[in-house]
Amino acid sequence: MRVMKNFILMLTISNLFSNVYAFQWSEEFITIPEKTNYTQTSTHKDVMKFVNAAKTKSPLVHVETIATSLEGRAVPMLVLANPKITSPAEADASGKPVIYLQGNIHGGEVEGKEALMILMREILFGDKKDLLSNQILLITPIYNSDGNDKMAEGNRRSQAGSPKLAGSRANGQGFDLNRDGMKLEALETQGLMKNVILKWDPELFVDLHTTNGSWHGYSLTYAPSYHSAGFPSTSDYTMNTMLPEITKQIKNKFNLDMYLYGGFRIRQGWPPKTWRTYNHHPRYLVNQFGLRNKMAILSETFAHDPFYKRIHSVYAFALGIIEYTNEYGHDMMKINKEAEKATIQAVLNDAGKTRKGVRFKMVAMDQTFTLRAYKYEPFTNSNGEINYLRKGEIVDVPGVQNFSKFEAEKESTLPRGYLFSSSNEPIAEILRRHGVKVERLQKAVRAVGEEFTVEQFDQNSRKFEGHNMATISGTYSDKTREFPPGSYKVDLAQPLANLIFYLLEPESDDGLVAWNYFDEYLLSKNVKTAKVVYPVFKYFEIEE
């Protein structure tokens, strides 16, 4: 029976990639895995050859460089539209939703890169041109161009077989690009923010990864944007409507099983009792979209499948997503716009009256589920310890708790806005990079609000992404303060209110305090031995 299933899978994949001959692709549109019997992946040069050929030979392609890496490699983005679109103004005029997909954020996770090129080939020159009828696709196949080309054996030990040579996780600066969403230090992240997120304003952000995780029984796992402090409707729609429908269609069309991203630990015993997702932090780009009133999807291809199947699985998932957005993209635009309006209205109506989370904990969802996983059998080793032997059989494990939800464990009052001194230009600048509207006071004002006093300051002794992450705790007190002309004002009644709140709240678990933006000031005031006033004032009302 298993032999027959494998034969059917190979036949499906063979039929999928037999389009190479059915449509008589020119050589530059055949991917490196296809040319090498799935033993190799494409270099940056290979991808650029594809990109330039698409630009030259298709009337539906516009190409932009969204960033240039530390080592001088372009990060290309292809704009696919029918008719051709070359600017955000033209996209707005079309009325069509803009959908963004990217691969290769971690250089060794190459499956999304290859699948996106195959999909573009079929959309531009094959039988899928109709997928441009109701949407505009932005596709960046090779986001981490430096990391991709740092190919070596052993970079992806957890994945099955080929490609033996794969890139490194980090970019040329040594950053994990999927931990850079708040601090924006990587050249690629800065380019993504400026030239995609703020410029093209996509309704959906799709980030394609390959997992390092447990031996579950799914071809691919996925997650929505965990909204934490964001307005919930965009994440809830992705989680409860969009992803279940895509999963069902992929099962019907490709007979692939997919489920919410997570993992179990076999050292906790067999059968597993819990399944846990990843953190809610908006440093992860997908999660940040929940704070931007937009939708996002994380895709994690199953590392332990053969290379050809990994590419096939992410191909099927990405295809399922853009088939869905082609049909329902206008509904998504409406939900996103309503979330933006509701976010602003909440500030206007509830500032000073309601509290929002700044620190969160992972909790179990209301219902258990049946987990598909490779079976393990216990055995006793020579030391009398119980170990587990993984079998080749996939089984269903009922009654598993799914920890894919987050609840606030620390809250703070929602303000109307924030005020801080003109000496804090770096704070104003990082907010602007995120797309936040920051004003300078033209005249002195009196502000009624809350002042935070730092009573404890801690730094992690181990560096993470070049930072000794900081945590502060303290208390708020009612205060009226005067701010002179030139001071910075951030009115929260703007679309990115929830992101601003997460960035500026002193006890936020992934804000600017955590990323050391206030260390110099706090340490100069002897914060380790004295109480120090946090230099950002939370106001509820301004008396001009």
Side-chain angles (χ1 to χ4, degrees):
M1 184 66 178
R2 191 162 187 81
V3 172
M4 178 59 72
K5 286 182 178 179
N6 286 337
F7 173 75
I8 293 172
L9 172 63
M10 286 296 294
L11 185 60
T12 301
I13 295 172
S14 175
N15 288 338
L16 172 65
F17 296 134
S18 68
N19 287 335
V20 172
Y21 305 104
F23 289 98
Q24 296 183 345
W25 316 116
S26 56
E27 184 270 341
E28 59 265 58
F29 295 122
I30 303 174
T31 66
I32 296 300
E34 292 169 320
K35 292 177 181 178
T36 63
N37 196 28
Y38 300 93
T39 60
Q40 297 177 30
T41 187
S42 55
T43 64
H44 178 261
K45 182 178 179 180
D46 296 324
V47 174
M48 292 308 299
K49 182 179 178 181
F50 178 100
V51 170
N52 291 327
K55 179 181 178 180
T56 301
K57 297 187 177 183
S58 172
L60 307 180
V61 173
H62 168 67
V63 175
E64 296 187 355
T65 296
I66 64 172
T68 301
S69 73
L70 181 68
E71 298 176 6
R73 295 182 178 90
V75 180
M77 181 179 75
L78 295 87
V79 181
L80 277 60
N82 188 11
K84 184 177 181 177
I85 293 289
T86 62
S87 70
E90 292 177 3
D92 288 343
S94 76
K96 296 178 181 180
V98 175
I99 309 299
Y100 176 76
L101 301 93
Q102 73 178 23
N104 212 203
I105 189 170
H106 295 139
E109 300 174 20
V110 302
E111 290 72 17
K113 172 186 62 180
E114 308 297 354
L116 287 174
M117 288 191 286
I118 293 168
L119 264 176
M120 286 190 285
R121 181 179 73 196
E122 295 181 357
I123 292 170
L124 297 174
F125 307 107
D127 59 355
K128 294 181 173 57
K129 286 189 176 69
D130 63 302
L131 292 176
L132 299 180
S133 58
N134 297 314
Q135 63 186 338
I136 298 163
L137 298 178
L138 312 181
I139 298 180
T140 299
I142 185 167
Y143 180 56
N144 184 357
S145 56
D146 285 352
N148 179 83
D149 276 22
K150 287 182 169 59
M151 293 190 187
E153 292 190 37
N155 278 347
R156 294 288 300 174
R157 291 187 181 91
S158 65
Q159 67 189 25
S162 58
K164 289 184 179 180
L165 299 180
S168 68
R169 184 178 182 86
N171 77 336
Q173 296 166 270
F175 292 132
D176 184 329
L177 294 177
N178 202 35
R179 306 293 186 272
D180 197 49
M182 297 297 264
K183 59 188 177 74
L184 305 182
E185 290 178 333
L187 297 171
E188 293 86 351
T189 320
Q190 293 171 13
L192 175 69
M193 188 63 65
K194 178 181 179 181
N195 297 316
V196 180
I197 297 172
L198 300 183
K199 179 179 177 181
W200 287 89
D201 194 25
E203 304 297 333
L204 175 69
F205 176 93
V206 181
D207 203 10
L208 305 177
H209 295 244
T210 301
T211 184
N212 296 316
S214 55
W215 282 79
H216 57 68
Y218 304 105
S219 298
L220 181 146
T221 51
Y222 51 73
S225 179
Y226 293 125
H227 52 73
S228 53
F231 192 79
S233 62
T234 58
S235 298
D236 289 348
Y237 176 86
T238 312
M239 177 77 149
N240 301 324
T241 302
M242 184 179 184
L243 286 170
E245 178 62 22
I246 292 170
T247 303
K248 182 176 74 174
Q249 294 302 323
I250 290 172
K251 179 65 175 177
N252 291 340
K253 185 180 294 187
F254 295 103
N255 196 31
L256 296 174
D257 293 300
M258 299 183 180
Y259 185 63
L260 288 168
Y261 174 73
F264 63 88
R265 296 180 178 178
I266 192 59
R267 66 171 178 261
Q268 295 178 347
W270 178 266
K273 301 294 191 297
T274 61
W275 175 259
R276 293 179 179 273
T277 191
Y278 73 112
N279 283 333
H280 63 284
H281 295 134
R283 70 188 66 164
Y284 301 95
L285 292 167
V286 164
N287 286 340
Q288 190 179 128
F289 271 72
L291 301 176
R292 290 180 168 273
N293 299 306
K294 299 290 185 179
M295 300 181 191
I297 296 173
L298 170 76
S299 164
E300 292 275 0
T301 311
F302 184 52
H304 307 299
D305 272 337
F307 189 29
Y308 61 81
K309 187 183 177 186
R310 299 199 304 270
I311 295 175
H312 174 59
S313 298
V314 71
Y315 164 91
F317 188 56
L319 174 61
I321 290 171
I322 60 177
E323 287 178 336
Y324 186 95
T325 53
N326 195 46
E327 184 170 358
Y328 299 106
H330 286 90
D331 293 342
M332 295 163 61
M333 291 176 72
K334 182 179 179 182
I335 292 168
N336 291 347
K337 182 56 68 175
E338 289 175 350
E340 181 180 292
K341 291 179 181 177
T343 294
I344 296 172
Q345 199 62 46
V347 173
L348 296 174
N349 294 343
D350 301 328
K353 304 174 187 176
T354 190
R355 294 174 66 80
K356 291 170 62 69
V358 292
R359 290 186 171 275
F360 296 83
K361 61 181 178 180
M362 188 184 297
V363 299
M365 299 177 73
D366 296 336
Q367 303 293 326
T368 61
F369 78 107
T370 297
L371 169 70
R372 289 181 60 78
Y374 280 82
K375 184 179 180 180
Y376 286 78
E377 288 185 354
F379 69 93
T380 303
N381 66 18
S382 57
N383 296 323
E385 301 166 331
I386 296 179
N387 286 348
Y388 294 90
L389 178 68
R390 187 181 66 252
K391 310 294 287 184
E393 177 186 2
I394 296 177
V395 297
D396 290 334
V397 181
V400 177
Q401 280 192 305
N402 187 348
F403 285 77
S404 292
K405 189 168 71 170
F406 296 90
E407 291 181 354
E409 57 182 357
K410 182 78 175 180
E411 294 182 328
S412 185
T413 304
L414 176 71
R416 174 56 196 264
Y418 297 93
L419 289 158
F420 53 92
S421 166
S422 60
S423 63
N424 282 316
E425 169 59 25
I427 306 304
E429 177 58 26
I430 187 66
L431 293 172
R432 293 190 199 101
R433 284 189 179 187
H434 276 283
V436 174
K437 182 181 179 182
V438 181
E439 305 172 57
R440 298 293 292 265
L441 294 181
Q442 300 301 308
K443 60 182 180 178
V445 301
R446 283 170 54 86
V448 179
E450 290 182 340
E451 182 177 82
F452 185 83
T453 299
V454 181
E455 298 171 347
Q456 184 172 343
F457 173 86
D458 296 298
Q459 277 183 311
N460 198 314
S461 59
R462 297 182 62 183
K463 282 193 179 295
F464 173 73
E465 292 297 302
H467 289 257
N468 297 99
M469 302 291 285
T471 305
I472 63 177
S473 58
T475 55
Y476 274 108
S477 57
D478 295 337
K479 208 80 170 180
T480 298
R481 284 182 52 183
E482 293 190 3
F483 286 83
S487 300
Y488 289 105
K489 174 189 172 185
V490 182
D491 186 344
L492 220 56
Q494 57 179 294
L496 296 182
N498 293 320
L499 177 61
I500 300 165
F501 181 80
Y502 219 121
L503 284 164
L504 289 181
E505 278 299 309
E507 295 179 295
S508 166
D509 57 19
D510 205 24
L512 296 182
V513 166
W515 291 104
N516 309 125
Y517 273 82
F518 293 98
D519 282 15
E520 183 178 353
Y521 170 83
L522 294 173
L523 290 170
S524 73
K525 300 294 184 181
N526 300 315
V527 69
K528 292 188 176 181
T529 57
K531 294 182 179 180
V532 178
V533 173
Y534 179 61
V536 178
F537 184 75
K538 182 190 307 197
Y539 75 86
F540 302 138
E541 181 183 357
I542 286 182
E543 301 172 349
E544 299 189 19

